[in-house]
Amino acid sequence: MGLFSKIKDFLRGPIYRINREVLADYMNNEIQFSVENNLSACGEFYLSPSEGETEEHIIITNNDAPCKCPMESEKDFTGITIYANRSSYYDPEKDEIYRTVDEFIRFKLNEFPEWFIFRGETSDLDKYLIKE
């Protein structure tokens, strides 16, 4: 493996193998922390069925936190919004939108296996770590 590949892997973040229950707990804890601290950003991570497959970019926002909306399409949003896309940037006008963790897991992860890949920066999932 070349130096560039090693740097790229390092910057991608740690990889965890988790299931739906672990993901739901993680997402709900991130949302709760964001709501309690009045933060607009709840979380950002990537999911894929297995290593090497296309990743879904997931962003969770708390629309009730005091902040200016970056896009007109978010102006009337309230509560929590979960965005999913296959690109590395956030675009609420094109991303798939889910309003609850249960809805996200039921519909977005419908085709995922029981255990799947989570990539992101967190210490909450350390016991599921498979690659740093």
Side-chain angles (χ1 to χ4, degrees):
M1 179 185 279
L3 179 61
F4 180 72
S5 295
K6 288 181 182 180
I7 292 171
K8 185 177 172 186
D9 281 347
F10 174 76
L11 294 175
R12 289 175 48 101
I15 297 173
Y16 306 87
R17 187 173 316 280
I18 63 172
N19 62 25
R20 286 165 181 77
E21 183 180 341
V22 172
L23 179 62
D25 287 345
Y26 171 79
M27 291 174 73
N28 284 320
N29 288 337
E30 293 293 301
I31 290 167
Q32 181 179 354
F33 179 82
S34 173
V35 169
E36 288 172 358
N37 293 284
N38 229 9
L39 304 171
S40 59
C42 299
E44 179 176 14
F45 52 88
Y46 295 83
L47 298 175
S48 66
S50 63
E51 282 189 81
E53 290 195 43
T54 303
E55 294 181 322
E56 293 284 340
H57 182 209
I58 312 302
I59 296 173
I60 309 169
T61 61
N62 173 10
N63 302 299
D64 295 334
C67 72
K68 293 183 180 177
C69 295
M71 299 193 148
E72 187 68 26
S73 61
E74 296 176 296
K75 190 184 259 186
D76 297 325
F77 284 8
T78 59
I80 299 300
T81 305
I82 303 166
Y83 299 94
N85 66 52
R86 292 223 168 148
S87 65
S88 60
Y89 63 91
Y90 160 70
D91 185 350
E93 295 175 348
K94 295 181 181 176
D95 294 350
E96 295 174 37
I97 295 176
Y98 302 90
R99 303 302 292 174
T100 68
V101 172
D102 290 338
E103 176 188 30
F104 171 77
I105 289 174
R106 190 175 9 166
F107 294 108
K108 188 63 186 174
L109 302 183
N110 186 39
E111 301 293 320
F112 274 48
E114 181 180 357
W115 291 87
F116 49 89
I117 301 298
F118 174 105
R119 182 173 60 83
E121 296 291 337
T122 180
S123 60
D124 295 342
L125 301 174
D126 280 352
K127 69 181 184 180
Y128 302 101
L129 182 67
I130 59 173
K131 187 190 287 185
E132 287 194 53

